[in-house]
């Protein structure tokens, strides 16, 4: 049984919690794209674990956790994350990293920092984790970038760094007028962590293929969200990988027919970090209330997230782009205090109504959301564990999400804790 958990908005939907819950019965959890730009929070017995690279299944020792070939790995972050988990009693013996995954190097982070500084207010607002430059090198192919298996061989790593710096230093010195990086300084920064983490390397593609053949229970954990996808998202304000469900095939080496279900995680309202269109954004008190109640501050960068109402057009389009088979609605409790809740049910553009997202970014910028007001429930959902315990207006809100997307809701989350979850059906 292979399940993809995918974000249906702009990331930060609560995929970490849903993946952690599904990992309970899983043999393998696989991250298929992205890198340390992600920030997945899992809360166990009131203790919060913030994961950037390692799959959210890591807290289940019997579940193997793989970083797939489509991810980009920063060895320094990986090393810190493993040490942090080990200090809290999780051995990480169940961790694996695909040997073909590309490595985020210090020059990627430096180049991104210089590029974003140069773009100024017109920038993408990236997480500055070197993600874009690492994927750029992957697509460029030559000089051959560093891949995870290269971290096992000091001589090879030095050669690859030297070849990369010949090219990178031209940009750093001549485009940005900054001092060049030396092979030794980059090597010295990376090698101590590389020595510690390179032992996790495996043939990730083979591991996933064999697990599919043996009919193991596999969860593919998406990072970021549908509208941050390089092809399907709000380009150019997107990330450099493929968060959509199809990315699970590219990033791990399985065919689309190996996927049995796609659970799209959809927060009960909308948030976004960084620049780009956000039609239902509320920059006033209501947006601030969502930010405060939902603790909407970036796990990776600490930036306040932009907040707004549930966007049914975004959810419907995402359901189609991912082939969602069911939806997990998260953070429903954040709406507890509201008397009425606006829900965007369509877009108006130049007098024409739309029920899906325009694929041309300039058109998307022009849309005006059309809202319907839904009654709030004005009571705490903290203790709700079953559908029947949800107040009628909260049931109606969840049912409206299913109506707008045409996809049934299978999971509702009403708090951080594993137990604060309602399963439907
Ligand atoms: P990058 O992935 O660091 O290149 O950033 C590109 C865009 O994706 C920026 O708008 C980031 O804020 C956004 N982004 C990247 N990772 C996440 C995430 O995990 N959650 C939410 N937004 C993200």
């Amino acid at each position: 049984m292979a399940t993809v958990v995918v974000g249906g908005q702009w990331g930060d939907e609560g995929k970490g919690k849903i993946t952690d819950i599904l990992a309970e019965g899983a043999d393998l959890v696989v991250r298929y794209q992205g890198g340390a730009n992600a920030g997945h929070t899992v809360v166990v017995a009131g203790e919060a674990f913030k994961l950037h690279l390692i799959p959210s299944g890591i807290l289940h020792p019997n579940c193997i956790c793989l970083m797939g070939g489509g991810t980009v790995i920063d060895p320094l972050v990986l090393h810190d994350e493993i040490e942090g988990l080990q200090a809290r009693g999780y051995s990480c013996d169940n961790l694996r990293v695909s040997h073909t995954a590309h490595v985020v190097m210090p020059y990627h982070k430096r180049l991104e920092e210089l590029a974003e500084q140069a773009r100024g207010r017109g920038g993408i607002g990236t997480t500055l984790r070197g993600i874009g430059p690492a994927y750029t090198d992957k697509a460029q192919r030559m000089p051959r970038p560093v891949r995870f298996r290269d971290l096992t061989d000091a001589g090879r790593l030095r050669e690859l760094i030297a070849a990369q710096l010949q090219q990178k230093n031209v940009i750093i010195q001549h485009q940005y007028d900054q001092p060049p990086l030396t092979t030794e300084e980059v090597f010295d920064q990376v090698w101590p962590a590389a020595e510690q983490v390179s032992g996790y390397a495996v043939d990730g593609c083979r591991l996933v293929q064999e697990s599919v053949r043996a009919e193991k229970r596999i969860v593919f954990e998406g990072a970021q969200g549908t509208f941050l996808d390089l092809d399907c998202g709000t380009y150019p304000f997107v990330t450099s990988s493929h968060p959509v469900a199809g990315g699970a095939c590219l990033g791990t080496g399985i065919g689309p027919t190996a996927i049995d279900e796609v659970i799209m995680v959809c927060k009960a309202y909308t948030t976004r970090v960084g620049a780009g269109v956000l039609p239902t954004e509320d920059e006033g008190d209501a947006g601030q209330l969502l930010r405060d109640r939902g603790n909407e501050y970036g796990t990776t960068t600490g930036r306040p997230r932009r907040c707004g109402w549930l966007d049914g057009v975004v959810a419907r389009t995402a359901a189609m782009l991912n082939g969602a088979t069911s939806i997990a609605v998260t953070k429903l409790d954040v709406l507890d205090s509201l008397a009425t809740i606006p829900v965007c049910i369509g877009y108006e553009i130049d007098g024409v109504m739309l029920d899906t997202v325009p694929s041309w970014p300039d058109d998307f910028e022009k849309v005006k959301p059309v809202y319907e007001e839904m009654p709030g429930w004005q009571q705490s959902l903290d203790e709700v564990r079953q559908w029947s315990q949800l107040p009628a207006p909260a049931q109606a809100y969840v049912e409206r999400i299913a109506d707008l997307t045409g996809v049934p809701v299978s999971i509702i989350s009403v708090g951080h804790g594993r137990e604060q979850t309602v399963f439907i059906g």
Side-chain angles (χ1 to χ4, degrees):
M1 177 75 173
T3 303
V4 182
V5 175
V6 63
Q9 292 151 322
W10 279 276
D12 307 313
E13 297 93 351
K15 298 176 292 293
K17 170 177 167 170
I18 302 301
T19 304
D20 169 64
I21 288 171
L22 297 175
E24 171 89 60
D27 301 296
L28 180 64
V29 174
V30 192
R31 275 269 315 260
Y32 55 87
Q33 44 70 230
N37 48 350
H40 294 166
T41 305
V42 179
V43 179
V44 182
E47 241 195 290
F49 293 82
K50 292 185 190 305
L51 303 166
H52 298 289
L53 275 174
I54 296 181
S56 302
I58 198 73
L59 306 178
H60 299 274
N62 295 328
C63 171
I64 300 292
C65 286
L66 172 71
M67 301 288 307
T71 61
V72 288
I73 313 283
D74 183 332
L76 308 176
V77 176
L78 184 60
H79 177 247
D80 285 354
E81 214 162 288
I82 293 170
E83 272 201 334
L85 283 164
Q86 287 175 339
R88 295 169 78 177
Y90 293 88
S91 70
C92 293
D93 290 348
N94 50 336
L95 180 66
R96 310 280 185 273
V97 181
S98 177
H99 59 187
T100 58
H102 281 241
V103 174
V104 176
M105 297 291 287
Y107 42 79
H108 292 133
K109 288 180 275 191
R110 181 77 180 124
L111 282 171
E112 182 167 28
E113 184 192 4
L114 293 169
E116 278 286 276
Q117 265 169 17
R119 291 175 196 132
R121 287 175 63 81
I124 299 168
T126 72
T127 59
L128 299 177
R129 294 297 189 268
I131 305 299
Y135 279 114
T136 300
D137 278 359
K138 178 177 176 173
Q140 188 162 293
R141 296 155 292 165
M142 295 278 183
R144 217 283 264 125
V146 179
R147 301 213 278 176
F148 198 74
R149 184 150 148 190
D150 298 318
L151 299 180
T152 55
D153 178 342
R156 177 92 180 118
L157 181 60
R158 253 200 209 90
E159 276 170 26
L160 292 171
I161 293 172
Q164 285 294 326
L165 286 183
Q166 271 193 8
Q167 186 207 51
K168 306 284 184 271
N169 277 336
V170 174
I171 303 171
I172 291 173
Q173 288 178 278
H174 300 295
Q175 188 173 336
Y176 297 114
D177 205 15
Q178 293 294 316
L181 303 175
T182 68
T183 300
E184 278 316 303
E185 76 177 306
V186 171
F187 179 83
D188 289 346
Q189 261 179 293
V190 171
W191 183 246
E195 273 193 299
Q196 300 292 321
V197 301
S198 58
Y200 291 96
V202 296
D203 182 340
C205 187
R206 177 189 279 251
L207 172 61
V208 176
Q209 289 284 357
E210 285 177 355
S211 303
V212 169
R213 223 172 306 133
E215 297 185 2
K216 297 264 171 88
R217 297 181 67 173
I218 311 171
V219 178
F220 294 98
E221 179 182 25
Q224 292 84 47
T226 301
F227 291 96
L228 290 174
D229 186 280
L230 184 59
D231 281 311
C232 303
T234 48
Y235 192 87
F237 300 103
V238 292
T239 191
S240 310
S241 67
H242 294 289
V244 293
C249 297
L250 303 173
T252 66
I254 53 156
T257 47
I259 296 172
D260 298 292
E261 60 171 0
V262 176
I263 301 180
M264 184 173 96
V265 185
C266 178
K267 189 148 60 178
Y269 51 96
T270 309
T271 62
R272 177 166 197 171
V273 200
V277 61
L278 186 60
T280 61
E281 181 168 16
D282 185 312
E283 294 182 75
D285 293 346
Q288 189 59 41
L289 178 133
L290 295 172
R291 191 172 301 113
D292 291 342
R293 279 203 41 99
N295 190 25
E296 297 294 354
Y297 296 89
T299 312
T300 303
T301 59
R303 290 181 289 179
R305 296 178 185 142
R306 299 159 62 196
C307 295
W309 305 112
L310 180 77
D311 188 331
V313 184
V314 157
R316 182 188 295 124
T317 310
M320 293 190 287
L321 290 168
N322 292 298
T325 54
S326 74
I327 292 181
V329 176
T330 55
K331 293 190 142 183
L332 189 61
D333 56 299
V334 170
L335 307 179
D336 279 356
S337 64
L338 299 168
T340 58
I341 308 167
V343 173
C344 169
I345 53 163
Y347 291 156
E348 197 235 288
I349 178 167
D350 301 330
V352 178
M353 287 295 292
L354 298 179
D355 65 358
T356 52
V357 165
S359 51
W360 190 249
D362 296 356
D363 294 340
F364 200 175
E365 290 283 353
K366 282 193 258 167
V367 301
K368 291 197 190 74
V370 177
Y371 289 104
E372 116 188 333
E373 290 286 328
M374 297 209 57
W377 42 93
Q378 295 193 287
Q379 68 187 80
S380 169
L381 301 185
D382 282 7
E383 302 297 324
V384 170
R385 302 289 178 268
Q386 289 172 18
W387 174 255
S388 60
Q389 294 169 334
L390 276 177
Q395 290 184 348
Y397 191 80
V398 170
E399 279 166 350
R400 193 71 180 106
I401 296 175
D403 284 349
L404 287 166
T405 54
V407 177
V409 173
S410 58
I411 300 175
I412 301 167
S413 169
V414 294
H416 288 300
R418 282 175 176 166
E419 68 292 351
Q420 292 178 298
T421 312
V422 175
F423 295 92
I424 306 170

